[in-house]
Amino acid sequence: TDIARDSCLARVTAGVAVGGAVGGAVGAVYGTYEAIRYKVPGLLKIRYIGQTTLGSAAIFGLFLGAGSLIHCGKSH
């Protein structure tokens, strides 16, 4: 079952990557919106958007990766 385990790992990795990309995009948009809405000044704005982007990417990546892992476990 090495092949099954490798494909499972690949699916989980893909899930984390897709989740990270989607989360990053959502975080960047949301962070930018929030920074403008709350009138965050200059360099703090960049930092704020960065934190929001990374936070969303991590959360989305974690959930999609975990979902892929659970899905893998059920199929075997």
Side-chain angles (χ1 to χ4, degrees):
T1 58
D2 279 349
I3 297 162
R5 195 181 300 131
D6 287 346
S7 71
C8 184
L9 185 66
R11 290 224 304 262
V12 172
T13 305
V16 171
V18 170
V22 171
V26 169
V29 171
Y30 183 71
T32 304
Y33 168 75
E34 289 276 281
I36 292 165
R37 186 172 150 210
Y38 294 121
K39 296 178 175 64
V40 180
L43 289 172
L44 282 175
K45 189 179 287 172
I46 295 163
R47 194 169 145 210
Y48 183 84
I49 293 166
Q51 284 177 334
T52 312
T53 302
L54 289 175
S56 290
I59 291 166
F60 272 76
L62 189 71
F63 278 110
L64 259 80
S68 299
L69 189 66
I70 292 164
H71 188 72
C72 274
K74 284 182 180 168
S75 63
H76 299 300

